[in-house]
Amino acid sequence: MAKKKVKKEEKPGVILKPEEYSIIGKPFPRVDARAKVTGEAKFAADIEMPDMLWGALKRSPYAHARILHIDTAKAERLPGVKAVITGKDFGGFKWGWSRETRDEEPLATTKVRYLYEGVAAVAAIDEDIAQEACELIEVEYESLPGVFDPFEAMEEGAPLVHDDRLGNICVEYHWDFGDVEKGFAESYLVQEDTFHTPRMAKGYIEPPAIVAYWTDATHLTVHAAKGSPYFSYRILSNCFQLPLSNVRVIQPFIGSDFGGTKNDMVNGDFAATMLAKTAGKPVKIVYTQFDELTTCLRRHPMWVTIKTGVTQDGKLKAIQTKVISDGGAYTRMSPLSNYLTGACMTLPYQLPNFKTDIYCYFTNNPSSAAMRGHGVYHTRFAGDVQMDMMAEKLGIDPVEIRLRNAIKNPKPGKLYETISKLHLATCGVEECIEKAAEAINWKEKKKKKRVEGYRAYGVGVAAGTFLSGAKLSGHNACAAIVRICEDGSVNLMTGATDVGQGSDSIMCALTAETLGIRLEDIDLKRVDTAHTPVDPGTYGSRVTVLAGEATVNAAKDAKRQLLEIAAKEFGVKPDEMEIKNKKAFVKTKPEMNISWERLVRMACYTTPGMVVIGKGQSTRGISVYGLTDFSSGTGDFGTNYSFTAQIQEVEVDMETGLVRCTDNSVIAHDCGFPLNPPAVDTQVVGGAYHPGVGAALYCEFKMDKGLTVNPNLVDYKLPRAYEAPMTEVIHVITNDPFGPFGAKEASEGSTCTAAPAVINALHDAAAIWIKELPAKPEKVYWALKEKRNNK
Amino acid sequence: MKDFEYFAPKTVEESLSFLSQYKEESKIIAGGQSMLVIMRQGLLAPENVVDIKGITALDYITYDEKEGLRIGALTTHRAIEKSPIIQKHFGVLSEMERNLATIQTRNWGTIGGNLCHGDPAGDPAPVLIALDAKLKLKSLSGERIITMEEFSKDLLEVDLKPDEMLIEIQVPAKRPHTGIAQEKLMVMQGDAGIVGAAVSITLKPEDGICEDTRVVLSNAASVPLRVREAEKRLIGKVISSHLLAEVGEVASAEADPPSDLHASAEYRREMVKVFVKRAAAKALERAKIG
Amino acid sequence: MKGEPKELRFTVNGKLYELQVKPKALLSDVLRKDLKLTGTKRGCLESTCGVCTVILDGKAVRSCSILALQANGHQVTTIEGLAQGDKLHPIQEAFINHGAVECGFCIPGRVMMAKALLDENPDPSREEVRLAMQGILCADSGYVKQIEAVEIAAGKMRGGE
């Protein structure tokens, strides 16, 4: 592949050697950990206001129906009810994840498109009365035939979910790089397989919640569990025709997001804000897990058909994929989810030819959207399992075949370019695979087949990637403000949202490291759109890279202002000075120094007196990669890309088909430079276990004509502690020039490697291939039986 | 959840009075670990709730070498799991409790509440049947004793009249050369078993022949199911692994398992074979030791 | 009369409370709404996630699955009752220092579960720690650091390293 020189305008900042950092690169506790372990941290459902009312939603009992008539009279008359609203109260407003995809209403007006879609809402003095009032709302529906999976949706003459969307196509992409037919013709082995990834719940334990109130007719305030509060503020501004400056979204602590539902809006958000307006009092709506599991966004179920051609020594010649996905009732972010299924296929292995056809269909199911490992995991699962299938036929070891294909780490100053024009300054996947294999003793484990009674053991490997610092569509700018108080303490304000991934702590650490002071000196203000600068939010693994960049720039700006004062004092130029360990000093004569506090006081109190405010923006986030670029699949939608290799051992009960992960579990992760190594460890392990192993072994929504059959956390199995492998994490450091202090995203890569590693391990133990996830015991059992019968 | 009238009796007699007064209009709540969920879902809305959790007199575990074990109906699962008496004399009960749901459920939920719920997927009932346990039921008009097996009538239906309460579980002293074991198929630790089997085997020490046996299945029918045809195959024989496999097949044919989102009836039948074999093998091992 | 409030007299975090509560009120509702102790979280409301876990008479229980009136005459400890003023409990410290806290939503319930475990069994095996953690769901951490944090706290509480 072509190697390019680093473009001038993208020249990275100077990277210190890690030993020179005071805070970054070493373990440090999260800044908000104490509030969380004492119970002081308030989440949205914990917030109470005087005169607060409880809201409840009236939901449709049909998956697809026309709304003929709504009668709210009885509900309005119930004592304790303070407001009742329906979809019509929103005046025809529609919203969507992007301007081009506004197809959803705050509450349905003429048609409902998924079971339990909200059609009306009530605010009352307590939860019970609100629920009772909802039951008194009378809605007349005309039930319509529906479509419940993409195969029904694509049929000729199938009922349309959206009347103006023919063929129920939500989005489709067709990309063609190189010449796959020629690639296949030149291949020694060509194989085609179809894989299925299940419909999955996001899995966060905190259901969505919101408290909304109006301070006057034109000023709205909302406390809500929002991973991207600036999405909400824009959407609410449009909805209520308010200037953005009047919409205040205040972020409480958030119990995880994982990329959907808390990233945009739910019926309850619109209901709470409109009810608050109507009733003139604060309104709180708290979802239950039942609401979450029946109405909120899920991971798209996908059917991936992949055709691959390789040479006799296992090198990839061509890959062609066809992806069919179930987008559910509304568009939401399906364009992005489906785009991503192809966008990373040219990573982490060298690939000269790639073609894909991607189809996402509307169905009468709750909408599908992002989830950790967004889009990339589906096709990476297919690709990495098929790679093992083909390696077996060729007689090549799975680790070996990956090393033969891995993209090599570009030399400093050079870029690797894929056929789809993704550019890598760093790629540690080769080292990841080698280190993982070494750590788990791969060669030894593969030599001897381990069987103990009815238990068979096997190991499997997978390699993956994920984009970092997504620069995708719409307004991507983000900024930070570093305010240095007169006593030397520091306020940090960014619009970046910590949903539990630890970004608040990272932003504080980046600030402290840049300013040369301690972590404890930084006080971070959580997002309040009235005060903090805009930021697109927590998705696309962008916060560390892009908000981090903005934060570093803001800190540098504040530092520059201080050093100008200090330099004048010492009669040198500002760039001859440095600040470290709370001391500003002349680099060549460190005995010429001044303490941080004295310097700040000097700056602030000497006439005319300064106000030290550092402002910084992300420059990398500004270049926009929009929906139009999705149609070609070309170009960088990420700032840089992380790489992962995972090896997992499994234990298979050959009599029952039950599969368990053992503690022989390793993940080698290239996140450029781990800014807080233990935090990266947990994120990487969690990313592999919850969505990854979850998909491989446990998680699956069962649907029946739009009804979620298993809407509780026992029937929908979320991964638990007893079965969790004690995974070892190895850091591969590549120091990427495009991330702050060399950093790239951490842990979405491992969400893509876990499922294929487990399925490959299952094959190693039991000689069966499970191509439809999850590999539940019954599925494995029948596959084992079929294999025995075929012998 | 709908409002209800609430009584919290402190004695058995007080409780029986309420039941006698309100009969079908009342429901007993003990730990509530099964009941509160369905009440919150609106599937159950009793007018009167009789909260017996405070009747400390029904929280006990006693053992007598001749009489055996007596467990008060309000003994928690956790107390049974941790009881030194039970661990020593009826270890299978402690093992079974260890795999039942999670610690929080076991800390508050009671054995009586579990048995009265009548869930064929439940773990205690099959083990108690294998142990030849009896239940003492009481009403204002008197007491009666029935076997654990007789208590289970149908899916979520037990032989308990509206004015009756379960008071005590009685487990006879173990005969010598008897081993009991229980195994279930859990995807995750603490899950209800996809299927399970509880097996008791008594051997004749002189020749190792199986003198008596009980084989009971969970989640393989609408009640905890004693598979008598399977048991017959064991009686009078020296148990080999070949015989165990055969017994598993017979048990599987006797079972009538459900199909649900967790497993098909067909798979459950296959798993009956596996778990009868495994539980019986363990029971046999234990019988040989003591 | 249906729904008529009854007296609830119980101790929470060492303090005696006397309240009138409706029979259908759940313990978690009373703790959060009446006593304003929002540290105990409201999660699934159907006994599956465990974030509502508190300690009742020394035992870990799910407060969403207990009628408040059943706590009458009993002692409840919530996360707010763990620290002694500014001094954190060793379990809380271990969770912070070992990086076992992520979004934090499951942490109060998890810490209380760990406390109940270690009060009953000061030297648990890894298996026993896993069994205790099984009752509280996390979505984020992979459980590894949490299991290790409990073991570290156990060591500190036993007076060792």
Side-chain angles (χ1 to χ4, degrees):
Chain A
M1 293 302 114
K3 305 229 168 178
K4 272 194 173 157
K5 273 209 144 155
V6 178
K7 283 198 212 110
K8 229 189 192 151
E9 60 269 24
E10 283 185 331
K11 208 162 177 197
V14 171
I15 294 175
L16 293 172
K17 295 198 198 64
E19 322 67 271
E20 295 168 14
Y21 298 147
S22 307
I23 301 162
I24 298 293
K26 304 178 185 16
F28 56 87
R30 294 213 188 181
V31 299
D32 50 14
R34 195 196 167 96
K36 291 170 181 174
V37 301
T38 56
E40 283 161 12
K42 288 227 184 295
F43 294 76
D46 301 331
I47 290 172
E48 285 223 342
M49 312 213 55
D51 285 343
M52 191 178 77
L53 303 171
W54 279 82
L57 287 159
K58 176 83 177 168
R59 296 185 175 282
S60 159
Y62 295 102
H64 198 201
R66 254 187 269 287
I67 298 172
L68 298 175
H69 184 65
I70 303 184
D71 185 347
T72 59
K74 286 196 188 124
E76 287 170 39
R77 284 199 296 267
L78 187 68
V81 169
K82 300 297 178 194
V84 182
I85 59 167
T86 67
K88 289 214 172 84
D89 291 311
F90 292 90
F93 172 70
K94 283 196 176 160
W95 69 281
W97 186 69
S98 70
R99 185 177 293 126
E100 295 88 346
T101 63
R102 290 177 183 168
D103 60 4
E104 193 165 353
E105 296 174 301
L107 292 171
T109 54
T110 52
K111 203 164 107 142
V112 291
R113 295 181 172 84
Y114 64 92
L115 184 65
Y116 302 142
E117 183 171 0
V119 303
V122 173
I125 55 177
D126 68 45
E127 260 187 289
D128 287 332
I129 296 175
Q131 305 272 14
E132 206 187 320
C134 278
E135 282 160 36
L136 293 173
I137 298 176
E138 289 165 349
V139 188
E140 220 182 300
Y141 295 94
E142 179 198 330
S143 174
L144 297 169
V147 289
F148 301 104
D149 67 42
F151 307 100
E152 285 177 16
M154 66 173 75
E155 269 176 39
E156 186 89 22
L160 292 179
V161 179
H162 294 269
D163 297 328
D164 59 341
R165 304 300 293 269
L166 298 180
N168 285 316
I169 296 251
C170 172
V171 70
E172 65 179 282
Y173 302 118
H174 307 280
W175 307 340
D176 199 348
F177 301 104
D179 184 343
V180 291
E181 291 308 324
K182 184 157 174 282
F184 291 137
E186 291 170 359
S187 297
Y188 175 80
L189 174 65
V190 177
Q191 179 164 329
E192 184 177 281
D193 298 279
T194 300
F195 294 84
H196 175 61
T197 53
R199 194 184 307 263
M200 287 177 74
K202 297 294 178 316
Y204 43 70
I205 314 302
E206 180 210 23
I210 180 170
V211 177
Y213 58 93
W214 295 73
T215 46
D216 62 40
T218 57
H219 285 82
L220 167 63
T221 303
V222 152
H223 297 259
K226 290 291 164 216
S228 298
Y230 290 87
F231 267 163
S232 313
Y233 111 130
R234 258 174 238 127
I235 293 169
L236 289 169
S237 145
N238 282 339
C239 177
F240 291 101
Q241 307 273 285
L242 297 173
L244 285 173
S245 54
N246 289 14
V247 179
R248 192 170 172 197
V249 178
I250 302 176
Q251 204 198 56
F253 283 86
I254 297 178
S256 290
D257 179 7
F258 308 134
T261 300
K262 291 180 188 171
N263 235 341
D264 46 32
M265 308 290 277
V266 294
N267 292 143
D269 296 324
F270 292 108
T273 42
M274 183 62 87
L275 285 168
K277 185 168 200 224
T278 312
K281 292 193 159 70
V283 173
K284 181 184 209 174
I285 292 184
V286 181
Y287 276 29
T288 60
Q289 269 295 345
F290 180 80
D291 294 324
E292 164 65 37
L293 296 174
T294 51
T295 64
C296 295
L297 305 179
R298 330 39 218 288
R299 203 205 278 286
H300 295 71
M302 294 199 186
W303 291 260
V304 177
T305 303
I306 177 170
K307 181 174 174 185
T308 302
V310 294
T311 63
Q312 192 171 11
D313 58 345
K315 294 215 67 179
L316 291 166
K317 288 289 285 182
I319 291 180
Q320 181 171 3
T321 57
K322 180 175 171 195
V323 176
I324 293 173
S325 70
D326 182 342
Y330 294 99
T331 305
R332 294 276 180 145
M333 50 182 107
S334 280
L336 177 52
S337 314
N338 286 274
Y339 160 84
L340 285 169
T341 65
C344 280
M345 272 313 266
T346 53
L347 303 171
Y349 307 117
Q350 302 166 50
L351 183 61
N353 301 290
F354 174 58
K355 185 171 197 273
T356 187
D357 299 286
I358 302 167
Y359 304 90
C360 178
Y361 291 88
F362 286 116
T363 63
N364 293 108
N365 290 311
S367 302
S368 307
M371 183 168 158
R372 277 174 101 178
H374 198 188
V376 178
Y377 126 91
H378 307 265
T379 41
R380 189 71 267 135
F381 167 67
D384 254 57
V385 173
Q386 192 188 53
M387 180 171 264
D388 263 37
M389 294 169 91
M390 297 177 86
E392 187 187 42
K393 288 192 180 146
L394 295 170
I396 304 174
D397 173 84
V399 163
E400 178 58 34
I401 198 171
R402 284 170 175 79
L403 289 173
R404 291 182 190 176
N405 283 286
I407 293 170
K408 307 228 177 287
N409 194 19
K411 299 231 175 345
K414 298 259 194 285
L415 293 178
Y416 175 90
E417 184 185 80
T418 71
I419 48 171
S420 55
K421 303 231 182 316
L422 300 185
H423 298 97
L424 309 177
T426 60
C427 173
V429 74
E430 192 181 16
E431 195 182 337
C432 287
I433 297 167
E434 283 167 346
K435 288 220 160 102
E438 193 186 308
I440 208 166
N441 228 343
W442 175 265
K443 287 206 171 77
E444 282 306 306
K445 289 210 157 47
K446 292 294 280 179
K447 260 192 221 158
K448 228 173 23 175
K449 202 59 168 182
R450 182 169 147 219
V451 176
E452 287 168 16
Y454 52 73
R455 294 189 176 95
Y457 295 83
V459 280
V461 61
T465 182
F466 206 80
L467 70 139
S468 163
K471 325 183 271 197
L472 289 154
S473 120
H475 187 245
N476 270 308
C478 64
I481 293 170
V482 168
R483 176 178 152 235
I484 305 194
C485 302
E486 310 86 80
D487 61 353
S489 60
V490 179
N491 279 155
L492 169 62
M493 290 191 283
T494 85
T497 301
D498 192 331
V499 296
Q501 86 280 37
S503 59
D504 280 359
S505 305
I506 293 296
M507 296 305 129
C508 289
L510 290 173
T511 306
E513 186 73 54
T514 305
L515 289 175
I517 59 180
R518 303 168 314 170
L519 188 60
E520 309 87 278
D521 299 320
I522 314 290
D523 176 62
L524 178 126
K525 300 299 176 202
R526 293 180 67 80
V527 173
D528 175 340
T529 61
H531 303 298
T532 48
V534 77
D535 181 286
T538 297
Y539 69 88
S541 295
R542 52 172 299 289
V543 175
T544 296
V545 171
L546 297 177
E549 183 202 354
T551 300
V552 168
N553 288 343
K556 280 184 175 159
D557 184 22
K559 183 179 175 182
R560 180 190 50 77
Q561 293 171 47
L562 287 174
L563 285 183
E564 270 166 14
I565 304 282
K568 214 179 274 173
E569 187 71 13
F570 289 113
V572 297
K573 291 206 202 62
D575 60 10
E576 292 178 72
M577 295 199 70
E578 179 56 276
I579 309 178
K580 238 181 156 42
N581 299 319
K582 297 192 86 167
K583 244 204 257 295
F585 57 94
V586 178
K587 284 189 252 191
T588 49
K589 286 204 183 85
E591 63 274 15
M592 291 173 69
N593 63 63
I594 179 172
S595 77
W596 169 264
E597 286 87 355
R598 280 200 66 202
L599 172 56
V600 171
R601 241 196 329 273
M602 192 164 72
C604 295
Y605 291 123
T606 313
T607 31
M610 256 178 99
V611 178
V612 185
I613 299 180
K615 177 185 150 191
Q617 282 191 274
S618 161
T619 54
R620 302 191 205 286
I622 287 176
S623 72
V624 169
Y625 188 90
L627 281 181
T628 47
D629 302 288
F630 287 8
S631 59
S632 73
T634 310
D636 281 302
F637 52 94
T639 305
N640 46 27
Y641 306 85
S642 72
F643 294 92
T644 312
Q646 177 163 3
I647 299 181
Q648 179 65 53
E649 184 186 52
V650 300
E651 171 194 280
V652 183
D653 181 331
M654 299 294 279
E655 290 181 345
T656 63
L658 182 68
V659 181
R660 290 252 166 98
C661 290
T662 73
D663 281 341
N664 287 320
S665 175
V666 174
I667 300 174
H669 188 69
D670 162 25
C671 67
F673 181 75
L675 299 175
N676 181 353
V680 171
D681 288 349
T682 311
Q683 283 285 294
V684 166
V685 168
Y689 187 53
H690 297 280
V693 175
L697 298 179
Y698 306 116
C699 303
E700 167 181 50
F701 270 127
K702 283 254 195 290
M703 305 297 292
D704 180 14
K705 297 215 179 333
L707 169 71
T708 307
V709 173
N710 53 342
N712 66 70
L713 297 176
V714 165
D715 291 329
Y716 178 97
K717 293 196 177 309
L718 279 184
R720 290 186 185 251
Y722 192 81
E723 292 78 25
M726 301 299 277
T727 306
E728 181 194 343
V729 177
I730 298 170
H731 296 281
V732 167
I733 296 176
T734 54
N735 287 315
D736 195 277
F738 298 122
F741 295 90
K744 302 191 279 191
E745 79 87 24
S747 95
E748 267 198 277
S750 62
T751 65
C752 301
T753 51
V758 168
I759 296 301
N760 287 340
L762 170 55
H763 176 260
D764 189 43
I768 52 167
W769 292 110
I770 298 291
K771 298 195 275 187
E772 290 182 16
L773 296 181
K776 285 184 166 171
E778 180 164 357
K779 203 178 279 183
V780 174
Y781 178 81
W782 295 126
L784 287 169
K785 192 163 192 196
E786 195 186 321
K787 187 157 188 95
R788 282 195 303 271
N789 292 343
N790 288 342
K791 275 222 175 110
Chain B
M1 208 169 15
K2 297 233 176 323
D3 277 310
F4 46 82
E5 181 63 277
Y6 173 85
F7 307 104
K10 287 283 173 271
T11 66
V12 173
E13 285 64 41
E14 222 186 311
S15 173
L16 292 177
S17 290
F18 284 127
L19 293 180
S20 154
Q21 189 182 346
Y22 293 102
K23 295 211 177 51
E24 277 89 358
E25 308 260 288
S26 70
K27 201 85 173 78
I28 287 181
I29 192 169
Q33 300 301 285
S34 308
M35 205 164 116
L36 276 180
V37 180
I38 51 178
M39 277 176 76
R40 263 213 300 274
Q41 288 168 351
L43 298 171
L44 184 68
E47 298 278 312
N48 305 286
V49 168
V50 181
D51 180 359
I52 61 171
K53 188 78 162 105
I55 303 179
T56 49
L58 289 182
D59 180 2
Y60 58 86
I61 299 172
T62 61
Y63 177 72
D64 175 83
E65 263 181 46
K66 287 213 199 71
E67 296 300 311
L69 193 62
R70 296 286 180 271
I71 306 175
L74 290 176
T75 308
T76 63
H77 293 286
R78 188 69 164 167
I80 294 172
E81 182 191 343
K82 294 289 184 191
S83 156
I85 294 174
I86 287 183
Q87 283 176 2
K88 184 168 181 205
H89 300 285
F90 294 94
V92 66
L93 282 172
S94 174
E95 287 162 9
M96 174 272 294
E97 292 288 8
R98 187 180 164 282
N99 290 326
L100 189 150
T102 62
I103 291 178
Q104 297 105 310
T105 306
R106 301 203 291 281
N107 273 334
W108 199 248
T110 62
I111 184 77
N114 177 284
L115 295 176
C116 292
H117 188 55
D119 186 353
D123 299 324
V127 176
L128 289 171
I129 294 173
L131 288 169
D132 198 13
K134 292 190 170 56
L135 305 180
K136 188 199 280 190
L137 310 170
K138 197 169 181 179
S139 72
L140 283 185
S141 20
E143 273 180 18
R144 63 187 177 110
I145 309 267
I146 64 173
T147 66
M148 180 70 241
E149 200 185 346
E150 287 167 334
F151 190 61
S152 318
K153 280 166 66 178
D154 205 340
L155 180 69
L156 303 178
E157 212 187 299
V158 294
D159 183 4
L160 189 71
K161 298 194 188 30
D163 63 345
E164 270 183 325
M165 252 174 79
L166 171 61
I167 300 293
E168 182 180 84
I169 296 105
Q170 304 172 342
V171 181
K174 220 171 59 167
R175 282 149 64 187
H177 311 290
T178 300
I180 310 121
Q182 181 243 13
E183 300 269 330
K184 67 176 175 178
L185 177 56
M186 290 184 284
V187 175
M188 281 182 191
Q189 176 64 28
D191 275 357
I194 288 179
V195 293
V199 178
S200 161
I201 288 176
T202 305
L203 297 176
K204 266 206 226 141
E206 355 23 302
D207 46 18
I209 280 179
C210 174
E211 188 176 54
D212 196 7
T213 181
R214 282 164 176 254
V215 180
V216 193
L217 306 178
S218 65
N219 218 358
S222 59
V223 292
L225 185 68
R226 233 186 111 176
V227 281
R228 287 182 158 80
E229 293 306 310
E231 289 172 2
K232 283 188 193 136
R233 297 293 175 98
L234 286 169
I235 304 277
K237 305 235 183 51
V238 173
I239 301 175
S240 64
S241 56
H242 182 80
L243 180 61
L244 286 182
E246 191 191 312
V247 167
E249 299 273 340
V250 176
S252 172
E254 278 187 85
D256 181 23
S259 264
D260 59 25
L261 69 102
H262 295 293
S264 67
E266 218 188 320
Y267 178 65
R268 285 193 160 102
R269 273 195 210 281
E270 297 295 304
M271 291 304 101
V272 164
K273 297 176 196 173
V274 175
F275 282 88
V276 163
K277 200 181 60 172
R278 288 185 186 178
K282 209 181 212 170
L284 176 64
E285 230 177 86
R286 290 174 174 177
K288 285 181 180 159
I289 294 171
Chain C
M1 202 186 73
K2 275 205 295 192
E4 189 187 331
K6 307 254 185 240
E7 190 190 59
L8 169 60
R9 204 163 174 275
F10 69 147
T11 309
V12 181
N13 298 332
K15 190 170 163 200
L16 182 65
Y17 289 93
E18 281 174 11
L19 307 163
Q20 293 286 316
V21 302
K22 282 186 156 197
K24 70 174 177 176
L26 302 170
L27 179 58
S28 63
D29 288 338
V30 169
L31 291 172
R32 286 171 55 80
K33 288 190 193 152
D34 294 295
L35 303 187
K36 310 286 183 223
L37 296 170
T38 57
T40 302
K41 296 306 164 203
R42 174 189 154 128
C44 66
L45 296 186
E46 48 190 11
S47 282
T48 58
C49 76
V51 299
C52 65
T53 299
V54 298
I55 294 178
L56 195 155
D57 291 351
K59 299 183 180 43
V61 295
R62 291 197 167 108
S63 61
C64 81
S65 304
I66 293 183
L67 292 177
L69 287 174
Q70 288 196 321
N72 197 26
H74 291 277
Q75 305 217 4
V76 174
T77 314
T78 70
I79 188 72
E80 290 91 342
L82 208 56
Q84 306 279 334
D86 267 346
K87 191 166 186 299
L88 294 179
H89 190 279
I91 297 173
Q92 289 170 310
E93 278 181 356
F95 269 70
I96 294 175
N97 295 330
H98 194 59
V101 180
E102 301 243 305
C103 82
F105 197 69
C106 75
I107 291 299
R110 194 173 300 282
V111 167
M112 296 317 283
M113 186 71 190
K115 177 162 197 318
L117 169 72
L118 296 182
D119 284 349
E120 183 190 77
N121 179 359
D123 193 7
S125 63
R126 169 152 296 176
E127 166 104 353
E128 284 166 324
V129 176
R130 282 184 184 272
L131 284 171
M133 296 292 101
Q134 188 73 341
I136 297 121
L137 278 172
C138 175
D140 210 16
S141 66
Y143 302 102
V144 171
K145 286 224 163 23
Q146 295 165 352
I147 292 167
E148 289 171 345
V150 175
E151 291 171 342
I152 289 169
K156 282 246 155 67
M157 285 163 73
R158 286 195 304 273
E161 255 312 292

